[in-house]
Amino acid sequence: MQEESLKIKQLEALEELYHYSQKLIPAIETVSGELRGNGQEDTDEYLKSILNGINWIIEVLNRTMDLVNVGEVIIDKEKINLVIHDLGEAIKGKNDEMIAEALTKEVLPFIVDSSIRAAVLTNQILN
């Protein structure tokens, strides 16, 4: 009974991840463009919000990884760690182009993959 309750909570969290990622994905695309030379007054604040969103996605995945990867590894924690490391290095270096590159080439595919997996799990099991 307790295991079933945990599974339901995990599915609810994954459903929230899916909905949130639908807002986060275009935000990442927008801020990447801003970092590549179309900067706005609020670009730094926007980036901070996006980083908070990425961290939230990772927290949800950490709490649902047993469900996300049931049967096969879909989301690889080691790969996520490398993605976040690369993004962190770009941020430390204060290199806007490298930050934009890390966001579009590494973070965005990870967020998209996570969103797709969340959609698959919640649609298959909840509906």
Side-chain angles (χ1 to χ4, degrees):
M1 189 71 157
Q2 210 172 12
E3 188 175 310
E4 190 64 29
S5 176
L6 174 62
K7 189 174 184 178
I8 290 169
K9 288 180 187 208
Q10 287 178 316
L11 286 169
E12 288 170 350
L14 288 169
E15 190 171 9
E16 287 300 314
L17 182 150
Y18 171 77
H19 291 295
Y20 184 72
S21 67
Q22 299 311 295
K23 297 173 188 169
L24 186 61
I25 291 167
I28 290 171
E29 292 168 342
T30 298
V31 84
S32 294
E34 290 180 10
L35 291 168
R36 287 192 166 106
N38 300 318
Q40 306 295 314
E41 285 182 26
D42 64 346
T43 298
D44 289 339
E45 286 302 313
Y46 197 29
L47 178 60
K48 286 179 189 174
S49 294
I50 288 168
L51 295 175
N52 287 336
I54 294 166
N55 285 332
W56 183 82
I57 296 270
I58 291 169
E59 283 181 38
V60 171
L61 287 172
N62 281 335
R63 296 173 194 263
T64 60
M65 200 60 82
D66 58 325
L67 186 60
V68 168
N69 286 335
V70 71
E72 64 182 306
V73 175
I74 304 291
I75 305 294
D76 183 351
K77 272 182 114 171
E78 293 302 315
K79 188 174 179 183
I80 294 170
N81 290 338
L82 290 173
V83 165
I84 298 309
H85 176 267
D86 290 349
L87 178 60
E89 289 299 310
I91 291 168
K92 269 194 244 177
K94 298 182 180 181
N95 184 321
D96 287 351
E97 182 61 37
M98 285 179 62
I99 296 169
E101 190 75 9
L103 285 171
T104 56
K105 300 275 194 229
E106 297 182 58
V107 175
L108 198 54
F110 149 68
I111 299 294
V112 169
D113 289 348
S114 300
S115 177
I116 290 168
R117 184 60 177 164
V120 167
L121 287 171
T122 56
N123 286 333
Q124 280 183 344
I125 299 170
L126 290 179
N127 292 330

